């Protein structure tokens, strides 16, 4: 079992809709959770991080963490074509980052 | 704001050659991480350094070595290159003093082994 699991997609949503990306992790001791966006051939770009249970909002992005269910999600409101990318969930466990395989999102104009 | 710098951005080598990738972390970041990302795959952690000492080791082949220097830049040395080493190599840096453990990625070096 991988440390971090993501649905690889592809996920397609129409422009203006809400995109929901999900991630589960296996180690209950994981302490920090990150969402990165990666365009093809480019480096991962941090969107946001979350440590505590609940929601964290930053502009059009909301991260949700449920430690009891070992689940972290990213909601993108008012999706734009420029949001089309692969979204990587990353989990910090001890001193190591573990990445999921990413979810490919396409926002259709 | 200054970001992580990696050089070269592109590198083409032949099998059994050696390659050296360089990484310059964000100023005042003292921790450096190296990742390898194959096509369609997630970044695989190779190795990390904190304050010039190796802090963690992932799936780094024995043919690879790395170090962090006194100015905190890091170099990844790759020997006896194989076709399967063709990938994007990312360096990331972080500062424990920031309290967030967030890793910021450089633009990557695309290595092609022919």
């Amino acid at each position: 079992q991988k440390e971090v699991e993501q649905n690889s997609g592809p996920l397609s949503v129409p422009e203006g809709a809400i995109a929901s990306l999900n991630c589960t992790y296996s180690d209950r001791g994981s302490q920090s959770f990150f969402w990165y966006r990666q365009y093809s051939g480019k480096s991962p770009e941090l969107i946001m991080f979350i440590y505590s249970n609940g929601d964290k909002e930053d502009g059009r992005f909301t991260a949700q963490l449920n430690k009891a269910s070992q689940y972290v999600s990213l909601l993108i409101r008012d999706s734009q074509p420029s949001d089309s990318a692969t979204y990587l969930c990353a989990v910090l466990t001890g001193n190591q980052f573990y990445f999921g395989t990413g979810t490919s999102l396409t926002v259709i104009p | 704001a200054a970001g992580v710098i990696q050089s070269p951005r592109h590198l083409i080598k032949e099998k059994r050659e050696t390659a050296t990738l360089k990484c310059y972390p964000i100023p005042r970041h003292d921790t450096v991480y190296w990742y390898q990302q194959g096509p369609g795959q997630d970044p695989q952690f190779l190795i990390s350094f904190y304050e010039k000492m190796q802090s963690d080791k992932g799936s780094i082949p024995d043919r690879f070595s790395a170090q962090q220097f006194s100015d905190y830049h890091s170099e990844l040395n790759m020997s006896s290159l194989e076709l399967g080493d063709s990938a994007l190599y990312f360096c990331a840096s972080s500062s424990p003093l920031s309290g967030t453990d967030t890793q910021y990625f450089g633009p990557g070096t695309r290595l092609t082994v022919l």
Side-chain angles (χ1 to χ4, degrees):
Chain A
Q1 182 189 4
K2 285 201 65 168
E3 294 279 344
V4 180
E5 300 272 4
Q6 289 182 258
N7 186 335
S8 61
L11 174 67
S12 295
V13 300
E15 183 174 357
I18 295 176
S20 177
L21 306 165
N22 304 314
C23 172
T24 58
Y25 58 96
S26 61
D27 193 327
R28 198 168 280 280
S30 300
Q31 65 263 39
S32 307
F33 309 88
F34 305 81
W35 282 100
Y36 286 85
R37 177 175 61 198
Q38 187 175 28
Y39 296 108
S40 180
K42 303 295 185 183
S43 60
E45 172 193 9
L46 179 71
I47 297 175
M48 58 194 309
F49 58 86
I50 187 168
Y51 298 141
S52 305
N53 274 328
D55 295 359
K56 180 180 179 182
E57 187 174 319
D58 184 1
R60 295 187 296 113
F61 300 97
T62 299
Q64 299 174 317
L65 175 61
N66 184 325
K67 289 188 176 180
S69 300
Q70 295 176 231
Y71 172 96
V72 58
S73 66
L74 179 69
L75 299 178
I76 306 175
R77 289 182 300 282
D78 189 22
S79 296
Q80 301 297 309
S82 59
D83 294 327
S84 298
T86 295
Y87 289 80
L88 296 166
C89 171
V91 173
L92 180 65
T93 304
N95 293 323
Q96 280 216 23
F97 252 49
Y98 296 95
F99 282 90
T101 51
T103 298
S104 174
L105 172 67
T106 300
V107 180
I108 304 167
Chain B
V4 177
I5 297 171
Q6 290 187 248
S7 68
R9 294 294 308 278
H10 301 273
L11 190 58
I12 299 175
K13 291 286 185 178
E14 295 193 356
K15 284 196 308 183
R16 293 180 287 278
E17 286 192 319
T18 61
T20 297
L21 309 184
K22 297 185 179 182
C23 169
Y24 297 85
I26 292 171
R28 291 181 295 281
H29 280 198
D30 50 16
T31 307
V32 168
Y33 310 81
W34 285 99
Y35 291 88
Q36 177 192 60
Q37 187 175 29
Q41 299 190 351
D42 54 301
Q44 294 294 311
F45 171 70
L46 294 178
I47 195 167
S48 62
F49 293 87
Y50 168 66
E51 283 290 343
K52 293 154 278 183
M53 299 288 289
Q54 181 182 309
S55 57
D56 226 331
K57 196 171 182 179
S59 53
I60 184 169
D62 291 341
R63 299 177 288 108
F64 295 4
S65 65
Q67 57 182 323
Q68 186 179 30
F69 295 86
S70 57
D71 63 351
Y72 295 104
H73 94 272
S74 178
E75 295 184 4
L76 177 66
N77 299 294
M78 312 161 72
S79 63
S80 302
L81 287 169
E82 302 173 357
L83 296 178
D85 296 328
S86 296
L88 269 170
Y89 289 83
F90 291 111
C91 170
S93 74
S94 71
S95 172
L97 294 178
S98 72
T100 67
D101 301 314
T102 301
Q103 295 186 17
Y104 295 90
F105 283 78
T109 294
R110 181 174 294 280
L111 173 66
T112 302
V113 181
L114 302 176

